[in-house]
Amino acid sequence: MRALLQRVAEARVTVEDRVIGEIGPGLLILLGITHTDSAAEGAWLAKKIAGLRIFEDKNGKMNLSVLESGGSALVVSQFTLFGDARKGRRPSFTQAAPPAHAEPLYAEFCNALTAQGLTVARGVFQAAMQVSLVNDGPVTLWLDTAELGSRANTGLNSNAASG
């Protein structure tokens, strides 16, 4: 799984001129899923994101998690995070999981964030969406579970141990 996180003052997703999901301060999470991803990656990623200390404390230091800051999350499915533009001018999306595999994992990831204590708004899977945001900082981070290395060394297993 790949997640592009943006710390935001506010964000919203619109489908056919209707606001579907909206948050105030928190994280906009663009989530990409590949063929080999499972619920374990989603649970690990949700726990990691909920605990990342990327919000400012009273001294202006990035020392608080989204949970500690009272923020929310807006999660938008984003298969193009697995786009490969190394050859030619048209990106290939063959590394993106097909909808039948990706949609349940997207829902499980959102549920895992909720289980961490976050209020979660969502986009609409496979819809043409317009996403608007006010980036705060800006703070933008890229997380990729494939870069974790050996699952035995990271604790990433079917129990989705902490990370």
Side-chain angles (χ1 to χ4, degrees):
M1 273 184 202
R2 291 183 177 162
L4 182 70
L5 313 177
Q6 293 185 301
R7 189 178 75 183
V8 297
E10 62 183 47
R12 77 182 44 84
V13 61
T14 305
V15 176
E16 297 178 0
D17 295 321
R18 199 173 71 122
V19 174
I20 299 300
E22 184 172 26
I23 62 168
L27 293 172
L28 171 61
I29 303 168
L30 303 177
L31 183 70
I33 299 168
T34 193
H35 305 278
T36 57
D37 286 333
S38 69
E41 281 87 0
W44 182 91
L45 192 59
K47 187 170 186 176
K48 181 71 168 179
I49 289 170
L52 279 175
R53 297 179 351 174
I54 58 173
F55 288 82
E56 293 180 358
D57 63 16
K58 63 182 179 182
N59 298 317
K61 302 257 186 205
M62 283 201 293
N63 204 27
L64 300 175
S65 70
V66 65
L67 287 168
E68 295 165 328
S69 73
S72 304
L74 173 58
V75 183
V76 177
S77 62
Q78 186 74 51
F79 78 93
T80 62
L81 289 177
F82 279 98
D84 183 353
R86 291 177 290 181
K87 291 199 269 183
R89 297 184 308 174
R90 180 178 299 181
S92 167
F93 299 105
T94 59
Q95 293 304 308
H101 180 71
E103 188 170 11
L105 292 178
Y106 167 75
E108 287 182 37
F109 172 78
C110 292
N111 292 339
L113 279 176
T114 301
Q116 291 295 318
L118 278 171
T119 299
V120 177
R122 303 177 187 201
V124 176
F125 194 86
Q126 277 194 300
M129 296 176 273
Q130 291 74 49
V131 179
S132 60
L133 67 131
V134 176
N135 202 321
D136 181 20
V139 175
T140 303
L141 295 172
W142 172 269
L143 300 175
D144 190 330
T145 59
E147 295 173 1
L148 295 173
S150 169
R151 291 178 184 201
N153 294 333
T154 63
L156 180 58
N157 60 33
S158 62
N159 296 327
S162 66

